[in-house]
């Protein structure tokens, strides 16, 4: 018992601080952060080198598609095992036998992995692109719109993170979770042609070339037409989290 730290937190977030510290340690006190940084650095540089002679607009389009497709798949692959593994091997039941709430358990994972993805995927790849522009003498976007563009990419990633977390709360089979998440991503190009799904899915935020929200922001253009899509994706993230909490609070572990 002397190895445990006594905390006095009460309520529906009881134990959140300790759980968050443990999840952050899994990212930043292991090789995971280094592997992630190396992987996305190599992939980003490869894309930039591939289109070295292309103009700024084309490099922006490739960058937004890199984030919207490759990074989105990476997010799903990372998140599909975050909850399922602990549910199956009994670690979830052991952790929840301590004075922590199930809500704190879910939210600590979401917070830690959101930060990890933001730093090792979004900010890192964005910094590489910006540095490449400086080296090549390309006209540079203003910092604020550029950061706003990275924020849109982060929102898109958060949608896939919360979707996968919700599926992990609903199912114990990783293949099912991967199949639904990656399948939805793969079919998005066709699904967004339907009016309602075009607003709900994050595909148009990143992947649709010069029509994407990210491309517009990084090019200094207006994004008024993308606001309904941004709002719908944000609401979707909240809805996925609420469903995950509802389901996980009713599971017998």
């Amino acid at each position: 018992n002397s190895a445990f730290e006594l905390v006095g937190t009460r309520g529906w977030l009881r134990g959140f601080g300790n759980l968050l510290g443990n999840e952050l340690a899994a990212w930043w006190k292991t090789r995971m952060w280094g592997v992630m940084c190396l992987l996305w650095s190599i992939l980003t540089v490869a894309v930039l080198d591939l289109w070295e002679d292309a103009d700024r607009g084309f490099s922006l389009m490739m960058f937004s598609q890199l984030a919207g497709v490759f990074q989105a798949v990476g997010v799903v692959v990372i998140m599909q095992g975050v909850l399922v593994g602990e549910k199956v091997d009994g670690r979830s039941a052991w952790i929840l036998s301590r004075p922590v709430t199930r809500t704190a358990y879910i939210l600590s994972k979401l917070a830690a992995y959101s930060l990890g993805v933001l730093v090792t995927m979004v900010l890192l790849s964005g910094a590489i692109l910006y540095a490449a522009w400086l080296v090549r003498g390309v006209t540079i976007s203003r910092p604020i719109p550029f950061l706003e563009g990275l924020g849109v990419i982060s929102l898109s990633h958060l949608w896939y993170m919360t979707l996968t977390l919700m599926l992990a709360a609903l199912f114990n089979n990783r293949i099912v979770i991967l199949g639904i998440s990656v399948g939805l991503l793969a079919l998005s190009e066709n699904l967004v042609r339907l009016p309602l799904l075009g607003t709900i899915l994050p595909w148009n935020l990143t992947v649709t070339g010069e029509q994407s929200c990210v491309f517009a922001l990084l090019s200094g253009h207006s994004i008024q037409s993308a606001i309904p899509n941004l709002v719908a994706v944000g609401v979707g993230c909240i809805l996925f989290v609420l469903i995950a909490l509802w389901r996980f609070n009713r599971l017998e572990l």
Side-chain angles (χ1 to χ4, degrees):
N1 288 336
S2 62
F4 292 93
E5 180 182 354
L6 181 63
V7 295
T9 308
R10 297 181 181 275
W12 59 279
L13 278 180
R14 183 179 59 207
F16 176 79
N18 283 355
L19 292 171
L20 178 61
N22 180 69
E23 296 296 338
L24 289 174
W27 266 91
W28 306 108
K29 293 186 178 181
T30 65
R31 296 179 180 178
M32 185 172 182
W33 72 272
V35 171
M36 292 293 294
C37 287
L38 180 62
L39 172 64
W40 294 110
S41 295
I42 292 174
L43 189 55
T44 304
V45 170
V47 171
L48 292 175
D49 285 345
L50 181 62
W51 306 106
E52 185 174 0
D53 297 328
D55 58 22
R56 176 174 172 271
F58 197 77
S59 66
L60 278 179
M61 184 175 65
M62 293 304 301
F63 174 72
S64 63
Q65 291 182 350
L66 165 72
V69 178
F70 292 101
Q71 289 188 359
V73 172
V75 168
V76 171
V77 171
I78 291 171
M79 290 299 296
Q80 53 88 25
V82 167
L83 186 59
V84 172
E86 293 186 357
K87 284 167 58 181
V88 172
D89 66 16
R91 278 179 291 167
S92 293
W94 182 84
I95 292 171
L96 293 171
S97 67
R98 272 56 184 168
V100 300
T101 64
R102 297 191 179 208
T103 299
Y105 179 76
I106 292 292
L107 293 183
S108 66
K109 291 185 177 296
L110 180 60
Y113 279 82
S114 296
L115 179 62
V117 166
L118 173 66
V119 174
T120 63
M121 287 190 189
V122 182
L123 291 180
L124 179 63
S125 58
I128 292 173
L129 174 64
Y130 213 77
W133 281 347
L134 286 172
V135 171
R136 297 175 187 170
V138 177
T139 303
I140 298 175
S141 300
R142 289 177 296 162
I144 298 302
F146 189 83
L147 291 175
E148 289 174 346
L150 296 184
V152 172
I153 292 174
S154 300
L155 178 62
S156 174
H157 289 353
L158 185 61
W159 192 89
Y160 288 105
M161 290 182 68
T162 53
L163 170 67
T164 309
L165 186 65
M166 178 191 71
L167 293 173
L170 294 172
F171 305 104
N172 288 336
N173 191 316
R174 299 191 187 198
I175 296 178
V176 172
I177 298 168
L178 276 174
I180 295 175
S181 299
V182 177
L184 186 59
L185 175 61
L187 293 173
S188 289
E189 184 175 5
N190 294 320
L191 294 176
V192 294
R193 296 174 184 174
L194 302 175
L196 181 60
L197 291 180
T199 302
I200 294 174
L201 297 174
W203 184 265
N204 288 331
L205 297 180
T206 56
V207 189
T208 51
E210 296 183 1
Q211 286 74 46
S212 71
C213 180
V214 171
F215 186 92
L217 277 171
L218 298 185
S219 300
H221 299 149
S222 172
I223 60 166
Q224 291 295 323
S225 61
I227 290 178
N229 196 187
L230 290 168
V231 173
V233 170
V235 171
C237 294
I238 296 172
L239 181 62
F240 293 153
V241 172
L242 291 177
I243 294 174
L245 292 173
W246 172 81
R247 175 57 179 165
F248 192 72
N249 277 296
R250 285 159 178 76
L251 282 178
E252 292 185 8
L253 300 172

